[in-house]
Amino acid sequence: MSYKIVVDSCCELPDELKKDPRFEIVPLGIEVGDWRIQDDETFNQAEFLRRVAECPECPRSSCPSPDRFKQSFDCDAEHIYVVTLSANLSGSHNSAVLGKNLYEEKHHDKKIHVVDSKSASGGEAQIALKAMELEEKGLAFEEIVQQLEAFRDEMNTYFVLNNLETLRKNGRLTGVKALVASTLNIKPVMGATEEGTIIQLGQAIGLKKALQKMADIVARETANPQKKCLMITHCNNLAKAESVRDMILAKAKFAEARILDTAGISSMYANDGGIIIAV
């Protein structure tokens, strides 16, 4: 059976898959003051970070329309898997579901499943790559859907950011009871709940110690790492991403480790220097 994997642009696909015909990236929109762009292959991270630093207003995102997702289903593939940002963080998931419903009103020629990643960035990539792996094994659509949902439920997301202002101002930290004072240089270690909302797991003084604490948590909490891929995404902070990878691999042996740079939406929320882990 032919298949296609559709992701929203918060998903950090490896470079070799961005032009792969089995994948399509549906872009979200980004606004920094009066500057508006689509989070697509033209995204320039350096320019974006410069504009964010210069603009007094908080950057904002807009999710794709249901019709845009519907267009992505108009293809030859018989099986389609859609992976979106956590439904608790973005309207992208709801748009994808509405797009699926719109498509199926007039078409009954394919099977479509929309996965709420309950994560973002590398978490979406993990699910997308799992869908490809399972399809390449030749499993039935229903079995793949079941395994994808189970894989998603077992996955954990962690992150440490230099700056939480974008998340806070856009109302994405409502589940966090207390945020530490940035003037004290205290950096929280954050994670995602089973519902895909953000929680605080710990904190440390300074970015270096916070990343060490996150690495310790990942190594300690990951079951059967030898069967898993360690996915690390970073916003303009490759050296720290490599350092975190090495700290984790010194404590737990993963089957694979990937480091990917953030595209537009992930860069917006991670801010300059942010590190995200999904495993």
Side-chain angles (χ1 to χ4, degrees):
M1 289 287 185
S2 59
Y3 68 94
K4 181 178 182 180
I5 299 168
V6 178
V7 299
D8 65 31
S9 62
C10 191
C11 176
E12 256 65 76
L13 286 178
D15 287 340
E16 68 269 18
L17 295 179
K18 290 179 180 178
K19 300 293 186 181
D20 191 308
R22 295 171 297 179
F23 288 83
E24 181 174 349
I25 302 173
V26 175
L28 281 82
I30 298 176
E31 298 179 12
V32 183
D34 294 332
W35 187 62
R36 292 173 173 80
I37 60 169
Q38 287 291 293
D39 182 17
D40 56 22
E41 68 277 359
T42 65
F43 175 74
N44 183 309
Q45 187 187 74
E47 180 185 13
F48 170 75
L49 293 175
R50 177 183 62 78
R51 287 181 178 271
V52 169
E54 293 173 353
C55 182
E57 299 175 34
C58 184
R60 298 187 177 277
S61 64
S62 56
C63 65
S65 69
D67 187 63
R68 178 60 185 84
F69 276 109
K70 176 175 172 285
Q71 291 172 27
S72 71
F73 307 146
D74 188 13
C75 61
D76 295 332
E78 298 162 279
H79 297 169
I80 298 178
Y81 308 91
V82 189
V83 185
T84 72
L85 263 161
S86 169
N88 277 309
L89 299 177
S90 169
S92 181
H93 177 74
N94 187 54
S95 282
V97 171
L98 290 174
K100 171 182 179 289
N101 294 340
L102 287 170
Y103 183 86
E104 291 178 337
E105 285 180 1
K106 296 183 178 180
H107 304 86
H108 307 282
D109 56 335
K110 57 194 66 182
K111 296 179 178 180
I112 304 172
H113 180 66
V114 181
V115 183
D116 175 0
S117 72
K118 299 185 179 180
S119 181
S121 191
E124 291 184 62
Q126 289 273 30
I127 297 169
L129 293 175
K130 189 66 175 179
M132 179 178 70
E133 174 193 323
L134 296 173
E135 270 287 349
E136 291 299 321
K137 288 181 177 179
L139 299 182
F141 179 82
E142 291 74 17
E143 175 64 19
I144 292 174
V145 167
Q146 183 179 17
Q147 289 200 34
L148 275 184
E149 296 287 334
F151 178 82
R152 185 272 318 279
D153 291 343
E154 292 176 1
M155 185 179 67
N156 289 307
T157 305
Y158 310 87
F159 59 96
V160 170
L161 309 183
N162 261 332
N163 185 339
L164 291 169
E165 282 303 287
T166 302
L167 283 174
R168 184 182 65 80
K169 289 181 178 179
N170 281 294
R172 301 305 192 265
L173 295 178
T174 54
V176 178
K177 299 299 182 184
L179 285 175
V180 293
S182 59
T183 54
L184 301 177
N185 198 30
I186 296 175
K187 304 295 184 183
V189 178
M190 315 291 279
T193 66
E194 292 180 359
E195 295 77 29
T197 55
I198 296 172
I199 56 171
Q200 184 173 334
L201 302 174
Q203 63 187 47
I205 298 176
L207 182 64
K208 183 177 179 179
K209 290 183 178 179
L211 292 175
Q212 176 68 66
K213 183 179 285 288
M214 178 170 67
D216 292 342
I217 293 172
V218 172
R220 182 175 66 249
E221 293 188 351
T222 304
N224 302 312
Q226 70 278 4
K227 298 180 180 179
K228 298 179 178 179
C229 173
L230 174 65
M231 187 81 72
I232 302 174
T233 53
H234 69 94
C235 181
N236 192 35
N237 205 352
L238 178 59
K240 284 291 192 293
E242 292 175 337
S243 175
V244 170
R245 175 199 60 195
D246 294 344
M247 286 189 283
I248 294 172
L249 294 182
K251 295 171 179 277
K253 304 303 180 185
F254 283 81
E256 182 183 8
R258 286 178 177 261
I259 295 178
L260 302 170
D261 201 358
T262 54
I265 296 300
S266 297
S267 294
M268 187 185 85
Y269 285 116
N271 279 304
D272 200 358
I275 304 287
I276 306 164
I277 296 174
V279 64

